[in-house]
Amino acid sequence: MTITVQLDTPVLLRNEEAAREIRALCQENGIFLVNIMSSPGAGKTTLLEATLRLIRDRLPVAVIEGDLVTTRDADRIAALGVPAVQLNTNGACHLDARMVLQALGKLDLAALNMVIVENVGNLVCPAEFDLGENFRVVVLSTTEGNDKVSKYPLIFRTSGLLVLNKIDLLPYTNFSVPDLVEDATLVNPNLKILQVSARRGDGIEAWAEYLVTLVTGK
Amino acid sequence: MTITVQLDTPVLLRNEEAAREIRALCQENGIFLVNIMSSPGAGKTTLLEATLRLIRDRLPVAVIEGDLVTTRDADRIAALGVPAVQLNTNGACHLDARMVLQALGKLDLAALNMVIVENVGNLVCPAEFDLGENFRVVVLSTTEGNDKVSKYPLIFRTSGLLVLNKIDLLPYTNFSVPDLVEDATLVNPNLKILQVSARRGDGIEAWAEYLVTLVTGK
């Protein structure tokens, strides 16, 4: 038997005003804003590290790191010489637009072309919060199983790109890439899928090129 | 630089009343209530399937499955002949006590000794919601990386047992069990850790015995 619970939405409406401010601010400063989301441990920060090594000299980029506590992720990004702001949500399970607006205020926006937001590790709430981003990326890892698209459809429906990470672990799991493609296409026919191993390096150049093209249009 | 955002808590206070009702209901019916939490894809349902095969004939048990949408998990549990109630949160990222109270109303409580709640896949919000449970279990998988205890401390601090799943994948990751034990002990010195592979079967008997002993006291 199934029980369905209704969800309150006023907080989402309050979020929209800040998202509009972000969009205006980014347009004014020529900034392309990317929102990267995933489960905890899907490998977002490792992916970003590998990506920034390839693009940091081609494109002025900064990163906003969302976490409940710790500055571990921002420290990892700053170690690459890329400007990084750590947002600590102090327990909240997602970033909202007001937090991101605050973080953007700490960056030298005029000097940047791209800001990447690494959201809190969570497949649910981040998907509901418009951060005023130009593009959403969802990262899924092969070790998380094939049912994630059906069980957490909103995040896949609202993203433009799915990065399938940890393909180096494919041989040791029962994950099926064809099944993923089938499920993803049902939920979002426009979702592009790139396969990578952030740890081993597979597919990282293609994904970095994809990002650069998004921002520069060439 | 780091920005800290304050968290609202009124919803947590409203949750407490339902949690108290659950505690009274479970005590009255001699039910031990277990709340299992993890990231999406850590393997909670696969772990439950393996566990229920071992304990379903020894202990009258039922399962409450929390998901945003789909009845996939409850269907998997029901296929084992174990009573299962699917709670669909319709987008919400955690179960709260009112939802669980509603689900308990669908079960024949007088005939049960244990109810296992499988929470929504999320390392953040579920930890904040008291479900009136007797015991909390957090499942972490070796593919999620070593930083999860530091980054999501509340869920590890409020659990009595950490089940480390997917130890069959240890050789293919950079996960360190000694580092996990060290981090977990810092956050929660009383946290017991059991290592399992729900898919391959390692450690499942020990964990099933642990659960049975929790419930029966012997």
Side-chain angles (χ1 to χ4, degrees), chain B residues 46-47 50-51 53-54 165-168 195-208:
Chain B
T46 304
L47 178 67
T51 312
R53 280 188 203 101
L54 292 181
N165 191 21
K166 306 189 190 176
I167 59 162
D168 53 315
Q195 298 183 40
V196 309
S197 164
R199 198 165 62 120
R200 207 171 57 183
D202 317 39
I204 296 299
E205 279 187 31
W207 138 256

Side-chain angles (χ1 to χ4, degrees), chain A residues 150-199:
Chain A
S150 312
K151 290 177 73 174
Y152 304 89
L154 186 67
I155 204 164
F156 295 92
R157 192 176 297 133
T158 62
S159 292
L161 175 68
L162 163 55
V163 176
L164 180 64
N165 191 22
K166 306 190 190 176
I167 58 163
D168 53 315
L169 296 181
L170 260 182
Y172 315 112
T173 70
N174 53 9
F175 192 88
S176 157
V177 177
D179 286 358
L180 171 74
V181 172
E182 193 181 324
D183 290 348
T185 306
L186 274 175
V187 162
N188 180 355
N190 300 315
L191 187 66
K192 185 177 168 65
I193 302 178
L194 290 176
Q195 298 181 41
V196 309
S197 165
R199 197 166 61 120

